[in-house]
Amino acid sequence: MTERYVLDLQEVDETQVAVVGGKGAHLGGLSRIEGIRVPAGFCVTTDAFRRIMAEAPSLDDRLDQLSRLNPDDREAIRTLSAQIRRTIEGIAVPDDLTAAITRALARLGEQAAYAVRSSATAEDLPTASFAGQQDTYLNVVGPTAILQHVSRCWASLFTERAVTYRQRNGIDHRTVHMAVVVQRMVFPHASGILFTADPVTGNRKVATVDAGFGLGEALVSGLVNPDVFKVRHGEVVAKAIAAKQRAVHALPTGGTQEVAIDSRRQEQPALTDAQVVRLVQLGRRIEAHFGRPQDIEWCLVDDGFQIVQSRPITTLFPIPETGDQENHVYVSVGHQQMMTDPMKPLGLSMWQLTAMVPMHTAGGRLFVDVTRRLAAPASRAGLLDVMGRGDPLVRDALETVLDRDDFVPSLPDAGPGGPPTGGTSATIETDPAIVTELIERSQVSLAALERDIRTKTGPALFEFLLEAFAEHKRVLSDPLSMQAIMAGMEATWWLNDTLQEWLGEKNAADTLTLSAPDNVTSEMGLALLDVADVIRPHSEVVAFLQGVEDEGFLDELAKLAGGTEARDAIEAYLDRYGMRYVGEIDITRPRWRERPTTLVPVLLDNVRNFEPGAAERRFEQGRRKAQQKEQDVLSRLRALPDGDRKAGEAKRMIDRVRTFIGYREYPKYAIVSRYFVYKQALLEEAERLVQAGVLPQKEDIFYLTFQELHDVVRSNQVDDRLIQQRKDAFRSYHALTPPRVLTSDGEAVTGAYRREDVPAGALIGLPVSAGTIEGRARVILDIAEADLEAGDILVTTFTDPSWSPLFVAVAGLVTEVGGLMTHGAVIAREYGLPAVVGVERATRLIRDGQRIRVHGTDGYVEILP
């Protein structure tokens, strides 16, 4: 009976987290690796913790209260968690438990010094490290003191920070239990932390060692700056030796104290280069055992290393799997599609099946492998040019990788590797009928899809969808469509480059493209203003909408005065645009048609902030401004030497850009329209699986790939554990920031603007829509929480087309992600909003409500006092 309360470290391994917690399990695993020394010790198991918790029935009620608290109510959490800790510390340890612990101490040396360390069952997990959430006590001497500190470790499961961390991560307090590790104390000459991958860049080939004198507490608590060594391929490639003025040492009577380091030793390295290399070799052995990069705590005792902890590094962005040992360079798809959030497995696989180039997944995001295109000189130049025009940070990151001579191999030209980077727009006439024809072709294809999919169910639906994906790709890759898109983009580039050269004017195309025709995304924003016009006169409808929470509210509208017209206007809007939503490239995201309440706050803002007829006025004003700009540019050009020729060329390009730039938005609209049809069919299939008892809920299909879902439909069987693993992984991916460029070494390459022409303290970005505007920053991460006043400047992470209805209500735009031709930039120009995109960490550096000035012509943002 007593044996289950105490287990020797040698008896456990990493599979026994439920018994000995994360730290204990990892230490047990470490002690089994050949050549790795771990201080001797034992674990007081989670059975002992449960026994203690059962001794105080009042704890049950308090845990109930705790789980109901809001994670932001810090005062209530602080009070209640302190009560729980006091209760646990006050429970007398039962005799049989005391006997089991003292017997284990007698085996190891009763009067020796020990470290008493918390080991919770939810810590050191692959997806949540919980580092520093519970307590550790060093140099504890004597059985009485050790028992007292074991109680303190049990209680530390309920520190304020541990409770808040669990609540924020959706972890039930009752499911987490506390074991305690008791280990012989080591008295090191030096100690510190080894990361087997660079924790800043993510590079898996570079290990980082932090080292200081004495116990590691001095480093962990921030008392001293460590020496930092970087090791690659078995040699120290960089080091920074710190002045280490203090250390933490153990006292003979128990406990620890800070001591001053002799001034002659302060500048000495805590480790020699040879010791650092030897330590990293041990780290690589540990990493291989656990199968992922590790964060390792080590001690140097008599020229030998002892390992006192190892946990996975949870902040690293995963690397796409290739199955080869070659070097690869990946570019983020999300940064081009304005969707850097993680996607669910069905969303990832559907985008892969319908994309024009092969795509890899990592961390819930999509990446394109551009290694071959970078390797050959001609395709490299084209790729860098297109990437640079879209997002200078991506170009700079790629050039950073290319500067490392050995990373990207050199290949002859004409290798495969994706579509050409340029276009063949020279062959297309400037004819609006081309755009009309392309839109008609797309609509015919969509109508056929809607008609033919109706009769398909079961495995036949999946066979049909694979054919539909082939048609999807055919529509997307229509050569005429590609030419129209490139014609609009190249005309924009020509106007910006040439008019800057001829007239000294930056970003002239921004004004020339105002209110361009056939832009389905800018029409969507204006159309919602028209819906507001229908609603505004009916006060009962406006009042009703202010309290709407239920998605079925459209049916309720008809009961109100003016409600039928309001409902019909919203329904008509949803018929045309209801397939859109934030993050719409992920088919699993809800659509406006499925969640119409999302549109209500924006609609009410429009009712409040605009006068009737605003949409038509806005469009007409933009069109007139563009006309005036055209006349101004042409008259100034005619006054130049060879002016008639220059004006003629510019006029041809202005006509060209106005003909084609609006169409730039249509293919995405067509993709998302098709996606909604696929989704509805798949959800009907999921409903059948729920009825048959195969799935508990239909949204579970979102955690399967398309192929896996096909197999489930064929077999009527599903792996519940796989779905749960996918849900846990998806939740963990939210904490990861996807890099613009990622290498197969795991290095996240950020890129820089490298500009000198901006004021000190300004936030640098990419100028995508000309003009300067000053106003109140509204930092909005969720469109449903928008609350805008006239003159506000929208600051957000990324904007896809679904954000366009907000654009009519704001005076400027700042985003963290984006390029010259991404949707937010195109619509900002259409509406004449000064905009700067690609501003790193904008939503964290700019506070909601601050006054800012957006320099849309020069590409920077000033935060005003």
Side-chain angles (χ1 to χ4, degrees):
M1 174 72 181
T2 55
E3 279 314 301
R4 67 196 182 110
Y5 291 140
V6 172
L7 291 171
D8 193 275
L9 271 182
Q10 299 283 342
E11 295 178 71
V12 301
D13 63 23
E14 55 270 31
T15 63
Q16 288 165 275
V17 172
V19 182
V20 294
K23 188 176 291 147
H26 274 85
L27 284 166
L30 282 166
S31 65
R32 290 163 178 246
I33 306 171
E34 194 181 335
I36 301 299
R37 291 167 60 202
V38 175
F42 59 88
C43 298
V44 181
T45 65
T46 52
D47 285 342
F49 172 76
R50 277 191 284 268
R51 169 91 183 268
I52 290 295
M53 294 293 278
E55 297 279 322
S58 67
L59 285 170
D60 244 14
D61 290 342
R62 290 200 174 134
L63 285 181
D64 278 344
Q65 286 174 274
L66 197 58
S67 60
R68 287 196 293 270
L69 291 178
N70 182 325
D72 296 322
D73 189 348
R74 297 187 58 172
E75 193 52 49
I77 288 175
R78 188 176 300 131
T79 307
L80 192 51
S81 57
Q83 286 173 4
I84 293 171
R85 285 198 306 280
R86 277 198 302 276
T87 304
I88 294 171
E89 285 184 37
I91 295 168
V93 180
D95 291 347
D96 55 341
L97 185 42
T98 301
I101 293 171
T102 47
R103 269 202 303 276
L105 284 171
R107 285 199 299 273
L108 290 173
E110 208 165 84
Q111 288 311 309
Y114 289 87
V116 182
R117 314 172 71 193
S118 303
S119 179
T121 52
E123 76 174 21
D124 298 352
L125 306 175
T127 55
S129 76
F130 286 78
Q133 296 302 317
Q134 285 88 31
D135 292 350
T136 283
Y137 302 95
L138 299 177
N139 203 32
V140 183
V141 180
T144 307
I146 286 167
L147 281 165
Q148 185 186 5
H149 285 87
V150 167
S151 280
R152 286 186 184 168
C153 284
W154 287 329
S156 77
L157 190 62
F158 297 98
T159 61
E160 183 190 344
R161 65 177 182 270
V163 166
T164 306
Y165 190 95
R166 287 196 293 273
Q167 284 184 297
R168 290 197 190 288
N169 282 275
I171 295 166
D172 181 349
H173 301 300
R174 291 171 187 284
T175 62
V176 184
H177 300 115
M178 180 66 85
V180 183
V181 176
V182 180
Q183 273 178 295
R184 281 290 293 257
M185 188 71 193
V186 292
F187 302 99
H189 160 74
S191 58
I193 299 160
L194 157 64
F195 296 98
T196 63
D198 188 318
V200 177
T201 67
N203 194 325
R204 310 307 201 262
K205 300 273 175 74
V206 176
T208 302
V209 175
D210 289 5
F213 294 123
L215 291 165
E217 289 305 290
L219 301 191
V220 175
S221 64
L223 181 64
V224 295
N225 289 327
D227 297 339
V228 180
F229 302 85
K230 291 195 182 291
V231 177
R232 186 184 174 97
H233 300 318
E235 63 177 302
V236 176
V237 292
K239 62 181 163 183
I241 307 304
K244 298 169 288 296
Q245 293 167 346
R246 305 189 74 69
V248 173
H249 283 253
L251 292 168
T253 53
T256 61
Q257 74 170 30
E258 281 180 38
V259 295
I261 294 174
D262 184 306
S263 60
R264 287 164 301 185
R265 280 185 69 213
Q266 287 180 7
E267 303 279 351
Q268 281 183 3
L271 296 178
T272 65
D273 283 11
Q275 286 171 328
V276 169
V277 169
R278 197 163 86 234
L279 175 61
V280 170
Q281 285 168 344
L282 295 175
R284 293 282 175 227
R285 200 175 290 178
I286 293 168
E287 179 182 65
H289 175 83
F290 289 118
R292 60 181 60 220
Q294 297 287 302
D295 161 355
I296 298 164
E297 291 178 28
W298 56 268
C299 295
L300 177 67
V301 187
D302 304 327
D303 201 40
F305 287 104
Q306 299 218 24
I307 304 300
V308 295
Q309 188 158 348
S310 185
R311 62 166 77 93
I313 309 175
T314 57
T315 54
L316 298 176
F317 200 86
I319 307 171
E321 289 177 19
T322 56
D324 65 33
Q325 297 303 306
E326 305 293 314
N327 287 348
H328 294 271
V329 182
Y330 303 98
V331 171
S332 159
V333 173
H335 284 81
Q336 281 147 28
Q337 290 294 338
M338 298 300 91
M339 162 61 179
T340 53
D341 291 347
M343 295 167 68
K344 296 192 181 95
L346 186 64
L348 290 166
S349 65
M350 294 285 278
W351 194 263
Q352 285 174 302
L353 286 164
T354 52
M356 304 310 299
V357 291
M359 291 183 180
H360 304 262
T361 66
R365 278 79 168 189
L366 291 163
F367 293 87
V368 172
D369 186 340
V370 295
T371 320
R372 289 193 69 94
R373 283 159 71 181
L374 284 176
S379 58
R380 179 190 311 146
L383 178 71
L384 290 174
D385 182 51
V386 167
M387 290 292 170
R389 286 184 182 278
D391 185 341
L393 292 177
V394 173
R395 178 179 182 135
D396 188 77
L398 291 174
E399 286 175 334
T400 302
V401 176
L402 286 167
D403 285 345
R404 298 169 194 161
D405 298 334
D406 56 343
F407 196 82
V408 177
S410 277
L411 291 177
D413 281 327
T421 47
T424 48
S425 54
T427 56
I428 191 174
E429 294 295 315
T430 303
D431 180 0
I434 292 172
V435 172
T436 308
E437 182 192 338
L438 283 167
I439 290 171
E440 276 174 11
R441 282 187 201 177
S442 180
Q443 287 172 338
V444 165
S445 172
L446 178 66
L449 171 68
E450 289 173 330
R451 181 188 67 233
D452 297 343
I453 203 168
R454 282 189 195 126
T455 56
K456 307 292 188 289
T457 60
L461 170 66
F462 288 81
E463 301 302 330
F464 172 81
L465 281 171
L466 288 170
E467 291 170 26
F469 298 162
E471 166 67 3
H472 181 121
K473 286 162 108 165
R474 189 194 66 73
V475 172
L476 267 189
S477 61
D478 181 336
L480 190 62
S481 177
M482 304 291 280
Q483 286 173 330
I485 291 167
M486 287 309 299
M489 284 163 57
E490 287 177 352
T492 304
W493 298 336
W494 187 95
L495 285 165
N496 280 340
D497 295 348
T498 311
L499 295 181
Q500 184 159 5
E501 184 191 328
W502 287 348
L503 298 174
E505 186 170 342
K506 288 182 184 174
N507 301 351
D510 294 1
T511 311
L512 293 166
T513 51
L514 287 170
S515 299
D518 297 311
N519 187 321
V520 70
T521 310
S522 61
E523 287 165 6
M524 177 169 76
L526 297 174
L528 202 62
L529 287 176
D530 289 336
V531 177
D533 285 355
V534 175
I535 289 167
R536 194 178 291 107
H538 305 294
S539 54
E540 234 185 296
V541 172
V542 174
F544 169 77
L545 289 175
Q546 280 161 347
V548 155
E549 285 176 9
D550 188 306
E551 297 301 347
F553 73 93
L554 288 171
D555 296 333
E556 299 295 307
L557 272 176
K559 300 170 187 170
L560 308 173
T564 308
E565 298 95 301
R567 185 194 62 194
D568 291 349
I570 296 171
E571 284 283 3
Y573 186 85
L574 290 172
D575 286 345
R576 182 143 166 75
Y577 305 110
M579 77 298 287
R580 310 222 83 150
Y581 198 80
V582 176
E584 61 194 11
I585 71 168
D586 182 353
I587 196 170
T588 73
R589 290 276 191 117
R591 310 284 136 171
W592 285 340
R593 176 49 88 186
E594 295 166 310
R595 279 206 195 151
T597 53
T598 317
L599 282 172
V600 171
V602 191
L603 198 46
L604 289 169
D605 279 350
N606 287 351
V607 167
R608 189 178 71 243
N609 294 336
F610 291 92
E611 296 293 317
E616 197 176 337
R617 274 198 309 281
R618 284 287 292 270
F619 188 78
E620 194 47 42
Q621 280 165 0
R623 204 176 61 76
R624 274 206 305 276
K625 262 195 203 163
Q627 261 180 341
Q628 286 159 3
K629 184 68 174 175
E630 177 180 332
Q631 286 161 6
D632 170 55
V633 164
L634 296 179
S635 67
R636 284 159 64 202
L637 287 174
R638 288 192 194 99
L640 298 176
D642 197 16
D644 284 348
R645 179 189 64 80
K646 288 175 175 165
E649 279 186 51
K651 171 66 175 151
R652 278 195 298 281
M653 284 299 177
I654 292 168
D655 289 348
R656 198 164 180 74
V657 84
R658 288 196 70 77
T659 299
F660 293 116
I661 201 65
Y663 178 71
R664 162 81 183 80
E665 291 292 297
Y666 199 84
K668 181 83 171 269
Y669 174 78
I671 291 170
V672 177
S673 298
R674 294 181 72 88
Y675 261 33
F676 193 40
V677 179
Y678 307 151
K679 180 181 187 179
Q680 287 169 305
L682 290 171
L683 280 175
E684 283 174 22
E685 204 55 45
E687 187 56 51
R688 280 190 278 277
L689 291 169
V690 170
Q691 297 301 327
V694 178
L695 286 177
Q697 49 195 28
K698 60 184 182 182
E699 285 78 14
D700 283 352
I701 67 165
F702 297 159
Y703 297 94
L704 299 169
T705 65
F706 180 81
Q707 192 54 55
E708 288 165 350
L709 180 53
H710 190 176
D711 293 341
V712 168
V713 167
R714 271 198 292 248
S715 66
N716 263 349
Q717 286 181 313
V718 72
D719 181 348
D720 295 330
R721 274 178 329 202
L722 175 69
I723 288 178
Q724 192 51 52
Q725 281 168 1
R726 295 271 177 81
K727 286 179 177 178
D728 292 343
F730 177 71
R731 198 178 305 121
S732 76
Y733 294 151
H734 283 277
L736 300 173
T737 302
R740 283 175 164 81
V741 172
L742 179 68
T743 73
S744 47
D745 285 352
E747 184 178 1
V749 193
T750 46
Y753 285 108
R754 306 189 194 283
R755 286 174 51 189
E756 305 291 324
D757 59 338
V758 295
L763 309 180
I764 303 175
L766 183 64
V768 295
S769 185
T772 302
I773 192 74
E774 199 175 293
R776 178 179 70 155
R778 292 312 318 268
V779 181
I780 296 172
L781 302 179
D782 180 349
I783 191 171
E785 287 162 18
D787 180 15
L788 297 165
E789 301 288 344
D792 283 349
I793 296 169
L794 173 62
V795 180
T796 189
T797 43
F798 57 79
T799 61
D800 60 11
S802 70
W803 286 75
S804 302
L806 287 194
F807 283 25
V808 297
V810 297
L813 172 71
V814 179
T815 67
E816 294 181 348
V817 176
L820 193 62
M821 284 296 166
T822 47
H823 304 275
V826 172
I827 305 309
R829 290 195 291 274
E830 286 264 324
Y831 287 168
L833 301 179
V836 180
V837 302
V839 179
E840 291 279 83
R841 299 175 56 236
T843 58
R844 279 167 282 184
L845 296 172
I846 299 169
R847 288 197 313 277
D848 187 53
Q850 275 185 318
R851 287 195 70 74
I852 61 172
R853 189 180 297 129
V854 177
H855 295 262
T857 308
D858 294 309
Y860 63 91
V861 180
E862 290 178 286
I863 299 175
L864 302 175

